[in-house]
Amino acid sequence: MDQGLRSELQKQGVFTTTLEEVYNWGRANSVWPLTFGLACCAIEMIAASMSRFDLARFGAEVFRPSPRQADLMIVAGTVTKKMAPLVVRLYNQMPEPKYVIAMGACAISGGPFKQGYNVLKGIDRYVPVDVVIPGCPPRPEALIHAFMTLQEKIEQQKLTGPHRARHLDPDAPSEFPVPVYGEHDLVPPKNPQIWQPPVVQR
Amino acid sequence: METLEQIKSRVEAAVAGAQLTVVPNDSPVAQPSLLVDNAHAVAVAGFLRDDPELQLDYCSNMTGVDWPEAELTEKIKVKQVVDGVEKEVEEVKKTLRPGCLEAVYHLYSMAKKHGPVILRLRTENRADKNHLPSLTPLWRGCEFQEREAYDLFGIVFDGHPDLRRILMWDEFKDHPMRKDYVEPDDYEYEPTPHDELVEKVKAHQAKEASV
Ligand code: SF4
């Protein structure tokens, strides 16, 4: 149904919608993040959830203490190699549909500690990331912007067809292999199924 | 507080056989330290802690230093007789400094409000003779810091109550703070490499191209 007819009907007091819209509207406005901070970025995430910035306005007021009750993982901070397997494990324990926001330079790429021996160069090496926020740290507004971007993304998701949301596709994986602690590095150092180095144009 | 020389002579009088060396520090802080031999380290440290003059009851910091084997070159002036005339000639003297691992302790006194007295302990080499006596039995606060030195430098502290890795995982084999540590090669994606990073990226790409 096109938008013109719809608003015409609305003037007559007839409201139309689709199942997809209602479903996505409900999901987008009740995203519950996992209480989960790793470093300095977590302070900004906490600030975003408090009264001054008030993430609750977007339906995300309850930070869940258990991955089984959460559907958004905000990777807020430096992912050390010692922590990375636990992050992946937490992600695996979250029920579908689930989303990941990589917050800050560290979660995206290792940030200021990129060349360190102990820091993972981006959480997207092990879990799929939906929204990234650059910054060190990103301000709470930036996190809210990322959250709204995620909401838009959820509202665009299809329920059927080849482009349907990942959680509705029985073939798409919902768990990812947890890396193990090796003698020199994590094994494997990345999950090539979901992460390939971007081609750098020079 | 007494000078380090005075402390040294008093320690030597109190602990029979202890060999102490004052290590000068020519940086602006000019803070010399005491090098203690491993066999008497615990006795010397115990003396420093319990001596009524010093009462160094607080170890604020313990860390490790890696000294790889190095060839030191210094220029020295030598007098030489050339054609019957005495001249000063510069010569380059090369000395081989053996490698070792060092543990450094900064001791303060809470009771007397003075310090620091800096202790250094050195291992015999960096490979197999990397044992040092632990000072955790004397200063409990050293426990985690000695574990850290064990983890990152590979110094084994004999007498430590719970010597395990503290920062890296237990399965980890390397000691990342050593100068010759080889880091894992994860330079797949470096959008703006610079300085040494360029070399690492090139090495990674060469390795990938050869596979
Ligand atoms: S991106 Fe910056 S602020 Fe955020 S965790 Fe890393 S260092 Fe801290």
Side-chain angles (χ1 to χ4, degrees):
Chain A
M1 187 183 296
D2 69 282
Q3 204 57 46
L5 177 58
R6 213 180 207 193
S7 51
E8 207 47 54
L9 280 172
Q10 259 175 32
K11 280 181 203 148
Q12 307 301 322
V14 180
F15 289 86
T16 56
T17 185
T18 60
L19 183 63
E20 188 173 279
E21 249 168 52
V22 175
Y23 182 73
N24 283 346
W25 174 81
R27 278 191 317 124
N29 291 297
S30 63
V31 178
W32 286 0
L34 181 61
T35 318
F36 178 59
L38 291 172
C40 8
C41 273
I43 307 294
E44 300 294 312
M45 179 181 76
I46 295 160
S49 72
M50 290 294 150
S51 49
R52 188 182 179 104
F53 296 99
D54 199 12
L55 202 57
R57 289 175 292 160
F58 303 89
E61 65 268 48
V62 267
F63 274 72
R64 301 314 300 186
S66 158
R68 300 184 194 283
Q69 302 166 349
D71 37 20
L72 168 65
M73 183 154 135
I74 304 176
V75 185
T78 321
V79 187
T80 59
K81 287 183 177 168
K82 201 173 175 178
M83 195 63 188
L86 313 178
V87 176
V88 180
R89 183 156 295 158
L90 282 175
Y91 178 82
N92 286 349
Q93 289 181 354
M94 283 163 54
E96 289 280 7
K98 54 189 171 185
Y99 305 93
V100 177
I101 291 181
M103 180 180 184
C106 285
I108 297 172
S109 70
F113 316 108
K114 186 168 187 174
Q115 262 93 61
Y117 56 87
N118 58 340
V119 173
L120 186 73
K121 291 177 174 175
I123 189 62
D124 53 349
R125 286 177 180 240
Y126 291 121
V127 295
V129 174
D130 295 283
V131 183
V132 297
I133 327 169
C136 179
R139 283 196 48 92
E141 291 94 328
L143 178 59
I144 291 174
H145 182 244
F147 197 81
M148 289 163 69
T149 312
L150 180 69
Q151 286 184 323
E152 275 164 29
K153 184 172 175 172
I154 294 174
E155 276 163 8
Q156 309 285 311
Q157 281 188 328
K158 296 268 170 294
L159 298 191
T160 49
H163 299 296
R164 60 185 183 274
R166 204 192 44 167
H167 65 281
L168 297 170
D169 184 356
D171 298 332
S174 105
E175 291 186 12
F176 292 91
V178 181
V180 295
Y181 297 132
E183 293 187 355
H184 307 286
D185 197 2
L186 291 176
V187 184
K190 58 178 182 261
N191 183 353
Q193 251 121 50
I194 58 169
W195 190 81
Q196 289 293 335
V199 180
V200 186
Q201 302 286 340
R202 288 219 178 80
Chain B
M1 204 179 62
E2 302 160 286
T3 64
L4 218 52
E5 263 74 20
Q6 288 169 321
I7 295 177
K8 176 180 175 239
S9 54
R10 283 213 300 129
V11 171
E12 279 169 343
V15 183
Q19 284 156 20
L20 299 163
T21 325
V22 175
V23 183
N25 182 347
D26 45 13
S27 74
V29 285
Q31 208 165 43
S33 49
L34 265 184
L35 182 65
V36 188
D37 68 308
N38 297 344
H40 298 92
V42 177
V44 170
F47 172 81
L48 294 176
R49 188 189 63 172
D50 299 331
D51 180 61
E53 282 294 306
L54 288 168
Q55 285 188 39
L56 297 165
D57 48 15
Y58 174 55
C59 178
S60 84
N61 170 45
M62 181 274 146
T63 188
V65 184
D66 181 19
W67 296 99
E69 231 167 62
E71 203 174 61
L72 305 177
T73 52
E74 51 180 337
K75 282 190 181 148
I76 44 165
K77 296 219 164 106
V78 220
K79 290 217 165 98
Q80 262 186 356
V81 183
V82 185
D83 303 332
V85 192
E86 201 175 318
K87 267 191 187 168
E88 263 199 0
V89 187
E90 267 200 357
E91 252 183 32
V92 178
K93 195 178 123 194
K94 284 190 178 165
T95 42
L96 194 71
R97 187 191 66 197
C100 72
L101 297 165
E102 196 174 75
V104 186
Y105 295 80
H106 286 211
L107 310 177
Y108 287 81
S109 171
M110 285 285 163
K112 297 261 174 179
K113 305 220 182 329
H114 63 205
V117 170
I118 303 166
L119 285 189
R120 289 169 188 256
L121 310 181
R122 281 189 187 158
T123 64
E124 270 175 68
N125 62 29
R126 298 168 73 245
D128 51 338
K129 295 195 172 139
N130 53 354
H131 287 248
L132 285 181
S134 166
L135 300 189
T136 304
L138 293 165
W139 291 283
R140 194 57 210 264
C142 297
E143 182 179 346
F144 278 13
Q145 302 191 22
E146 284 186 349
R147 276 177 66 184
E148 188 176 339
Y150 164 70
D151 188 352
L152 302 183
F153 289 94
I155 308 172
V156 180
F157 290 94
D158 298 326
H160 190 284
D162 182 25
L163 197 64
R164 288 177 291 137
R165 283 185 181 270
I166 188 168
L167 295 173
M168 305 307 285
W169 49 92
D170 291 341
E171 294 86 350
F172 198 69
K173 285 278 176 319
D174 303 333
H175 302 293
M177 290 295 253
R178 287 205 190 182
K179 301 273 187 202
D180 51 6
Y181 169 65
V182 185
E183 58 190 330
D185 180 19
D186 47 8
Y187 291 92
E188 296 95 343
Y189 178 55
E190 300 291 336
T192 52
H194 49 84
D195 307 336
E196 309 126 61
L197 193 54
V198 179
E199 302 305 315
K200 291 178 182 170
V201 171
K202 275 187 190 150
H204 178 89
Q205 284 167 350
K207 209 200 266 173
E208 267 195 353
S210 69
V211 171

PDB file of all heavy atoms in Angstrom, chain B residues 12 22 44 50 53 68 80 92 99 109 119-120 122 127 146 172 174 192 194 207-209:
ATOM      1  N   GLU B  12      76.506  -4.424  55.468  1.00  0.00           N
ATOM      2  CA  GLU B  12      77.612  -5.369  55.376  1.00  0.00           C
ATOM      3  C   GLU B  12      78.106  -5.780  56.759  1.00  0.00           C
ATOM      4  O   GLU B  12      78.547  -6.918  56.956  1.00  0.00           O
ATOM      5  CB  GLU B  12      78.740  -4.763  54.542  1.00  0.00           C
ATOM      6  CG  GLU B  12      78.454  -4.914  53.074  1.00  0.00           C
ATOM      7  CD  GLU B  12      79.397  -4.113  52.196  1.00  0.00           C
ATOM      8  OE1 GLU B  12      80.077  -3.201  52.689  1.00  0.00           O
ATOM      9  OE2 GLU B  12      79.434  -4.418  51.001  1.00  0.00           O
ATOM     10  N   VAL B  22      76.800  -0.259  45.051  1.00  0.00           N
ATOM     11  CA  VAL B  22      75.967   0.917  44.801  1.00  0.00           C
ATOM     12  C   VAL B  22      75.982   1.175  43.304  1.00  0.00           C
ATOM     13  O   VAL B  22      77.044   1.358  42.711  1.00  0.00           O
ATOM     14  CB  VAL B  22      76.482   2.139  45.573  1.00  0.00           C
ATOM     15  CG1 VAL B  22      75.669   3.368  45.205  1.00  0.00           C
ATOM     16  CG2 VAL B  22      76.410   1.890  47.057  1.00  0.00           C
ATOM     17  N   VAL B  44      69.360  -9.359  53.714  1.00  0.00           N
ATOM     18  CA  VAL B  44      69.592  -7.914  53.583  1.00  0.00           C
ATOM     19  C   VAL B  44      68.259  -7.173  53.644  1.00  0.00           C
ATOM     20  O   VAL B  44      68.108  -6.174  54.365  1.00  0.00           O
ATOM     21  CB  VAL B  44      70.326  -7.615  52.261  1.00  0.00           C
ATOM     22  CG1 VAL B  44      70.344  -6.115  52.003  1.00  0.00           C
ATOM     23  CG2 VAL B  44      71.737  -8.163  52.303  1.00  0.00           C
ATOM     24  N   ASP B  50      63.724  -4.260  59.311  1.00  0.00           N
ATOM     25  CA  ASP B  50      63.608  -4.293  60.769  1.00  0.00           C
ATOM     26  C   ASP B  50      64.563  -3.355  61.493  1.00  0.00           C
ATOM     27  O   ASP B  50      64.430  -3.147  62.686  1.00  0.00           O
ATOM     28  CB  ASP B  50      63.844  -5.728  61.265  1.00  0.00           C
ATOM     29  CG  ASP B  50      62.805  -6.672  60.688  1.00  0.00           C
ATOM     30  OD1 ASP B  50      61.688  -6.191  60.414  1.00  0.00           O
ATOM     31  OD2 ASP B  50      63.109  -7.860  60.486  1.00  0.00           O
ATOM     32  N   GLU B  53      66.721   2.239  62.658  1.00  0.00           N
ATOM     33  CA  GLU B  53      67.033   3.506  61.987  1.00  0.00           C
ATOM     34  C   GLU B  53      66.241   3.652  60.691  1.00  0.00           C
ATOM     35  O   GLU B  53      65.746   4.726  60.353  1.00  0.00           O
ATOM     36  CB  GLU B  53      68.529   3.561  61.649  1.00  0.00           C
ATOM     37  CG  GLU B  53      69.422   3.886  62.814  1.00  0.00           C
ATOM     38  CD  GLU B  53      69.167   5.291  63.306  1.00  0.00           C
ATOM     39  OE1 GLU B  53      69.229   6.223  62.484  1.00  0.00           O
ATOM     40  OE2 GLU B  53      68.858   5.450  64.509  1.00  0.00           O
ATOM     41  N   PRO B  68      69.189  -7.321  27.800  1.00  0.00           N
ATOM     42  CA  PRO B  68      69.704  -8.311  26.861  1.00  0.00           C
ATOM     43  C   PRO B  68      71.217  -8.191  26.738  1.00  0.00           C
ATOM     44  O   PRO B  68      71.793  -7.172  27.120  1.00  0.00           O
ATOM     45  CB  PRO B  68      69.006  -7.958  25.545  1.00  0.00           C
ATOM     46  CG  PRO B  68      68.418  -6.632  25.720  1.00  0.00           C
ATOM     47  CD  PRO B  68      68.471  -6.244  27.155  1.00  0.00           C
ATOM     48  N   GLN B  80      99.637   7.502  23.515  1.00  0.00           N
ATOM     49  CA  GLN B  80     100.464   6.656  22.672  1.00  0.00           C
ATOM     50  C   GLN B  80     101.689   7.437  22.246  1.00  0.00           C
ATOM     51  O   GLN B  80     101.629   8.653  22.078  1.00  0.00           O
ATOM     52  CB  GLN B  80      99.671   6.237  21.423  1.00  0.00           C
ATOM     53  CG  GLN B  80      99.057   4.863  21.556  1.00  0.00           C
ATOM     54  CD  GLN B  80      98.404   4.422  20.275  1.00  0.00           C
ATOM     55  OE1 GLN B  80      98.344   5.175  19.310  1.00  0.00           O
ATOM     56  NE2 GLN B  80      97.928   3.205  20.277  1.00  0.00           N
ATOM     57  N   VAL B  92      88.338   3.064  20.509  1.00  0.00           N
ATOM     58  CA  VAL B  92      87.003   2.548  20.820  1.00  0.00           C
ATOM     59  C   VAL B  92      87.155   1.229  21.556  1.00  0.00           C
ATOM     60  O   VAL B  92      87.781   0.303  21.062  1.00  0.00           O
ATOM     61  CB  VAL B  92      86.175   2.363  19.530  1.00  0.00           C
ATOM     62  CG1 VAL B  92      84.813   1.775  19.868  1.00  0.00           C
ATOM     63  CG2 VAL B  92      86.027   3.677  18.807  1.00  0.00           C
ATOM     64  N   GLY B  99      73.818 -10.692  29.429  1.00  0.00           N
ATOM     65  CA  GLY B  99      72.407 -10.403  29.637  1.00  0.00           C
ATOM     66  C   GLY B  99      71.938 -10.874  31.002  1.00  0.00           C
ATOM     67  O   GLY B  99      72.485 -11.818  31.576  1.00  0.00           O
ATOM     68  N   SER B 109      59.658   4.010  54.152  1.00  0.00           N
ATOM     69  CA  SER B 109      59.302   3.800  55.547  1.00  0.00           C
ATOM     70  C   SER B 109      58.074   4.630  55.880  1.00  0.00           C
ATOM     71  O   SER B 109      58.083   5.851  55.738  1.00  0.00           O
ATOM     72  CB  SER B 109      60.462   4.214  56.454  1.00  0.00           C
ATOM     73  OG  SER B 109      60.003   4.187  57.783  1.00  0.00           O
ATOM     74  N   LEU B 119      66.359  -1.358  45.760  1.00  0.00           N
ATOM     75  CA  LEU B 119      67.109  -2.616  45.731  1.00  0.00           C
ATOM     76  C   LEU B 119      67.049  -3.197  44.344  1.00  0.00           C
ATOM     77  O   LEU B 119      66.003  -3.166  43.695  1.00  0.00           O
ATOM     78  CB  LEU B 119      66.484  -3.634  46.681  1.00  0.00           C
ATOM     79  CG  LEU B 119      66.663  -3.495  48.184  1.00  0.00           C
ATOM     80  CD1 LEU B 119      66.137  -4.756  48.841  1.00  0.00           C
ATOM     81  CD2 LEU B 119      68.108  -3.287  48.534  1.00  0.00           C
ATOM     82  N   ARG B 120      68.164  -3.744  43.902  1.00  0.00           N
ATOM     83  CA  ARG B 120      68.156  -4.471  42.633  1.00  0.00           C
ATOM     84  C   ARG B 120      68.665  -5.875  42.870  1.00  0.00           C
ATOM     85  O   ARG B 120      69.651  -6.069  43.583  1.00  0.00           O
ATOM     86  CB  ARG B 120      69.101  -3.826  41.622  1.00  0.00           C
ATOM     87  CG  ARG B 120      68.649  -2.497  41.085  1.00  0.00           C
ATOM     88  CD  ARG B 120      69.811  -1.883  40.327  1.00  0.00           C
ATOM     89  NE  ARG B 120      69.503  -0.524  39.956  1.00  0.00           N
ATOM     90  CZ  ARG B 120      69.163  -0.155  38.727  1.00  0.00           C
ATOM     91  NH1 ARG B 120      69.117  -1.048  37.753  1.00  0.00           N
ATOM     92  NH2 ARG B 120      68.911   1.106  38.450  1.00  0.00           N
ATOM     93  N   ARG B 122      69.743  -9.328  40.539  1.00  0.00           N
ATOM     94  CA  ARG B 122      69.963  -9.713  39.149  1.00  0.00           C
ATOM     95  C   ARG B 122      70.061 -11.226  39.019  1.00  0.00           C
ATOM     96  O   ARG B 122      70.702 -11.883  39.841  1.00  0.00           O
ATOM     97  CB  ARG B 122      71.259  -9.102  38.617  1.00  0.00           C
ATOM     98  CG  ARG B 122      71.061  -7.659  38.249  1.00  0.00           C
ATOM     99  CD  ARG B 122      72.232  -7.079  37.537  1.00  0.00           C
ATOM    100  NE  ARG B 122      71.978  -5.647  37.399  1.00  0.00           N
ATOM    101  CZ  ARG B 122      72.919  -4.750  37.213  1.00  0.00           C
ATOM    102  NH1 ARG B 122      74.169  -5.121  37.135  1.00  0.00           N
ATOM    103  NH2 ARG B 122      72.598  -3.486  37.097  1.00  0.00           N
ATOM    104  N   ALA B 127      68.194 -17.061  30.360  1.00  0.00           N
ATOM    105  CA  ALA B 127      67.592 -18.290  29.845  1.00  0.00           C
ATOM    106  C   ALA B 127      67.200 -19.249  30.969  1.00  0.00           C
ATOM    107  O   ALA B 127      66.045 -19.316  31.376  1.00  0.00           O
ATOM    108  CB  ALA B 127      68.551 -18.961  28.874  1.00  0.00           C
ATOM    109  N   GLU B 146      55.318  -9.335  41.950  1.00  0.00           N
ATOM    110  CA  GLU B 146      56.275 -10.373  41.574  1.00  0.00           C
ATOM    111  C   GLU B 146      55.643 -11.337  40.577  1.00  0.00           C
ATOM    112  O   GLU B 146      56.303 -11.826  39.659  1.00  0.00           O
ATOM    113  CB  GLU B 146      56.784 -11.116  42.814  1.00  0.00           C
ATOM    114  CG  GLU B 146      57.792 -10.283  43.584  1.00  0.00           C
ATOM    115  CD  GLU B 146      58.428 -11.017  44.743  1.00  0.00           C
ATOM    116  OE1 GLU B 146      57.953 -12.111  45.096  1.00  0.00           O
ATOM    117  OE2 GLU B 146      59.394 -10.486  45.298  1.00  0.00           O
ATOM    118  N   PHE B 172      49.821 -19.394  28.146  1.00  0.00           N
ATOM    119  CA  PHE B 172      50.740 -18.528  27.407  1.00  0.00           C
ATOM    120  C   PHE B 172      52.186 -18.897  27.723  1.00  0.00           C
ATOM    121  O   PHE B 172      52.516 -19.193  28.865  1.00  0.00           O
ATOM    122  CB  PHE B 172      50.454 -17.084  27.805  1.00  0.00           C
ATOM    123  CG  PHE B 172      50.993 -16.060  26.860  1.00  0.00           C
ATOM    124  CD1 PHE B 172      50.461 -15.925  25.595  1.00  0.00           C
ATOM    125  CD2 PHE B 172      52.012 -15.213  27.246  1.00  0.00           C
ATOM    126  CE1 PHE B 172      50.948 -14.974  24.726  1.00  0.00           C
ATOM    127  CE2 PHE B 172      52.508 -14.253  26.378  1.00  0.00           C
ATOM    128  CZ  PHE B 172      51.967 -14.136  25.118  1.00  0.00           C
ATOM    129  N   ASP B 174      55.115 -17.099  26.280  1.00  0.00           N
ATOM    130  CA  ASP B 174      56.140 -16.065  26.109  1.00  0.00           C
ATOM    131  C   ASP B 174      56.173 -15.102  27.292  1.00  0.00           C
ATOM    132  O   ASP B 174      55.351 -15.180  28.190  1.00  0.00           O
ATOM    133  CB  ASP B 174      55.843 -15.262  24.839  1.00  0.00           C
ATOM    134  CG  ASP B 174      55.772 -16.154  23.622  1.00  0.00           C
ATOM    135  OD1 ASP B 174      56.420 -17.213  23.662  1.00  0.00           O
ATOM    136  OD2 ASP B 174      55.071 -15.798  22.668  1.00  0.00           O
ATOM    137  N   THR B 192      46.727   2.822   7.945  1.00  0.00           N
ATOM    138  CA  THR B 192      47.719   3.901   7.865  1.00  0.00           C
ATOM    139  C   THR B 192      49.001   3.494   8.579  1.00  0.00           C
ATOM    140  O   THR B 192      49.313   3.994   9.653  1.00  0.00           O
ATOM    141  CB  THR B 192      47.172   5.184   8.538  1.00  0.00           C
ATOM    142  OG1 THR B 192      46.718   4.838   9.855  1.00  0.00           O
ATOM    143  CG2 THR B 192      46.046   5.785   7.749  1.00  0.00           C
ATOM    144  N   HIS B 194      52.814   3.345   9.664  1.00  0.00           N
ATOM    145  CA  HIS B 194      53.849   4.367   9.728  1.00  0.00           C
ATOM    146  C   HIS B 194      55.000   3.819  10.557  1.00  0.00           C
ATOM    147  O   HIS B 194      54.847   2.848  11.297  1.00  0.00           O
ATOM    148  CB  HIS B 194      53.315   5.649  10.342  1.00  0.00           C
ATOM    149  CG  HIS B 194      52.575   5.401  11.624  1.00  0.00           C
ATOM    150  ND1 HIS B 194      53.194   5.289  12.830  1.00  0.00           N
ATOM    151  CD2 HIS B 194      51.257   5.176  11.851  1.00  0.00           C
ATOM    152  CE1 HIS B 194      52.306   5.025  13.765  1.00  0.00           C
ATOM    153  NE2 HIS B 194      51.110   4.949  13.205  1.00  0.00           N
ATOM    154  N   LYS B 207      54.741 -12.630   3.844  1.00  0.00           N
ATOM    155  CA  LYS B 207      54.439 -13.976   4.312  1.00  0.00           C
ATOM    156  C   LYS B 207      53.156 -14.494   3.665  1.00  0.00           C
ATOM    157  O   LYS B 207      53.077 -15.641   3.253  1.00  0.00           O
ATOM    158  CB  LYS B 207      54.275 -13.936   5.834  1.00  0.00           C
ATOM    159  CG  LYS B 207      54.668 -15.256   6.492  1.00  0.00           C
ATOM    160  CD  LYS B 207      54.079 -15.372   7.853  1.00  0.00           C
ATOM    161  CE  LYS B 207      55.005 -14.892   8.940  1.00  0.00           C
ATOM    162  NZ  LYS B 207      54.342 -14.870  10.246  1.00  0.00           N
ATOM    163  N   GLU B 208      52.172 -13.608   3.564  1.00  0.00           N
ATOM    164  CA  GLU B 208      50.913 -14.020   2.954  1.00  0.00           C
ATOM    165  C   GLU B 208      51.070 -14.312   1.480  1.00  0.00           C
ATOM    166  O   GLU B 208      50.463 -15.244   0.955  1.00  0.00           O
ATOM    167  CB  GLU B 208      49.855 -12.931   3.161  1.00  0.00           C
ATOM    168  CG  GLU B 208      49.058 -13.191   4.395  1.00  0.00           C
ATOM    169  CD  GLU B 208      47.788 -12.391   4.477  1.00  0.00           C
ATOM    170  OE1 GLU B 208      47.559 -11.509   3.640  1.00  0.00           O
ATOM    171  OE2 GLU B 208      47.028 -12.668   5.408  1.00  0.00           O
ATOM    172  N   ALA B 209      51.913 -13.518   0.801  1.00  0.00           N
ATOM    173  CA  ALA B 209      52.112 -13.724  -0.636  1.00  0.00           C
ATOM    174  C   ALA B 209      52.801 -15.046  -0.898  1.00  0.00           C
ATOM    175  O   ALA B 209      52.553 -15.706  -1.911  1.00  0.00           O
ATOM    176  CB  ALA B 209      52.928 -12.565  -1.210  1.00  0.00           C
TER     177      ALA B 209
END
